[in-house]
Amino acid sequence: DGGITQSPKYLFRKEGQNVTLSCEQNLNHDAMYWYRQDPGQGLRLIYYSQIVNDFQKGDIAEGYSVSREKKESFPLTVTSAQKNPTAFYLCASKSGGASGELFFGEGSRLTVL
Amino acid sequence: EDKVVQSPLSLVVHEGDTVTLNCSYEVTNFRSLLWYKQEKKAPTFLFMLTSSGIEKKSGRLSSILDKKELFSILNITATQTGDSAIYLCAVEYSNYQLIWGAGTKLIIKP
């Protein structure tokens, strides 16, 4: 079945450690996104990528990094520079061009101890 | 500044009631408005609206867009406990970019 797979689903990290969240899609979508969701809030864009080897900062990119070496993969690294990393992270993808829905992964919940 | 505002932020109703959720926007280069339902983890797609006045319907859910007054509503009739969720609204303003509202948390009491 086509879809988006995020891993891990739950992750605990000590302060000062970097952590990488995986996002893989087999929908052949051009665009991929990373969002952060805090309790009671909507989605805030961290980074997005329209094509391989290219990505743009979103509204809250500080303390995060990404890569897009393959069309299928868009990993997110939460660095120690991110001051408040505990959150729910959602990866999404979309076909390029015309308007269309975003498809979401199941999310990764990161807790910093 | 572009923005999407949802109201109410939270709502508690009894099973069988009808609810109306609102999404207003101020976005340049509007392309479409999307509604999603988020129960526990991944948001699931409900509707995409691009034209004013054309109602989209799926079972007990329906939605309509008013591009003159810059808002959309999502109606749920004969609510069930399974409708309890966060309902998210987003406006697409380019091929790849969307602005999201804060969501409406809907709780249906049996």
Side-chain angles (χ1 to χ4, degrees), chain B residues 72-92:
Chain B
S72 174
I73 60 172
L74 175 69
N75 277 322
I76 309 174
T77 60
T79 53
Q80 303 170 358
T81 55
D83 295 325
S84 294
I86 297 173
Y87 289 85
L88 297 166
C89 170
V91 172
E92 184 181 27

Side-chain angles (χ1 to χ4, degrees), chain A residues 35 42-43 102 104, chain B residues 4 6 36 43 88-91 98-102:
Chain A
Y35 288 98
L43 307 183
L102 261 65
F104 285 89
Chain B
V4 174
Q6 291 186 245
Y36 283 81
L88 297 166
C89 170
V91 172
L98 303 91
I99 298 176
W100 292 82

Side-chain angles (χ1 to χ4, degrees), chain A residues 1-4 24-30 71-72 93-95 103-104:
Chain A
D1 282 3
I4 300 178
E24 303 278 333
Q25 55 100 358
N26 59 5
L27 300 166
N28 199 33
H29 284 169
D30 295 312
K71 188 175 185 178
E72 302 79 18
S93 71
K94 176 182 175 298
S95 285
F103 292 79
F104 285 89

Side-chain angles (χ1 to χ4, degrees), chain B residues 5 18 26-27 35 39 43 47 49 51-52 65-66 71 94 100:
Chain B
V5 178
T18 292
E26 293 178 23
V27 176
W35 283 98
E39 293 182 75
F47 299 111
L49 305 160
S51 301
S52 260
L65 174 67
D66 186 328
F71 75 93
S94 76
W100 292 82

Side-chain angles (χ1 to χ4, degrees), chain B residues 11-66:
Chain B
L11 184 59
V12 181
V13 300
H14 286 97
E15 211 168 13
D17 289 350
T18 292
V19 298
T20 298
L21 310 183
N22 301 287
C23 176
S24 64
Y25 62 92
E26 293 178 23
V27 176
T28 53
N29 301 318
F30 174 93
R31 289 170 60 94
S32 66
L33 185 146
L34 300 98
W35 283 98
Y36 283 81
K37 177 182 181 182
Q38 185 180 24
E39 293 182 75
K40 290 184 179 178
K41 294 183 179 179
T44 53
F45 174 76
L46 295 176
F47 299 111
M48 183 174 76
L49 305 160
T50 56
S51 301
S52 260
I54 299 175
E55 185 183 50
K56 294 219 170 177
K57 198 170 172 67
S58 176
R60 297 176 294 103
L61 277 67
S62 64
S63 184
I64 197 162
L65 174 67
D66 186 328

Side-chain angles (χ1 to χ4, degrees), chain A residues 15-90:
Chain A
E15 280 191 24
Q17 291 180 336
N18 292 355
V19 62
T20 297
L21 308 180
S22 170
C23 178
E24 303 278 333
Q25 55 100 358
N26 59 5
L27 300 166
N28 199 33
H29 284 169
D30 295 312
M32 296 187 74
Y33 304 79
W34 275 106
Y35 288 98
R36 170 180 171 141
Q37 188 176 33
D38 294 287
Q41 296 191 29
L43 307 183
R44 292 189 289 169
L45 182 64
I46 304 172
Y47 271 96
Y48 70 101
S49 168
Q50 301 176 13
I51 56 173
V52 175
N53 293 322
D54 187 45
F55 48 82
Q56 280 76 41
K57 293 182 179 180
D59 301 318
I60 56 167
E62 186 174 350
Y64 300 97
S65 66
V66 294
S67 63
R68 188 86 186 275
E69 296 177 2
K70 299 187 300 180
K71 188 175 185 178
E72 302 79 18
S73 179
F74 192 41
L76 174 74
T77 297
V78 184
T79 76
S80 57
Q82 169 49 234
K83 297 305 178 189
N84 186 21
T86 294
F88 186 56
Y89 292 88
L90 282 162

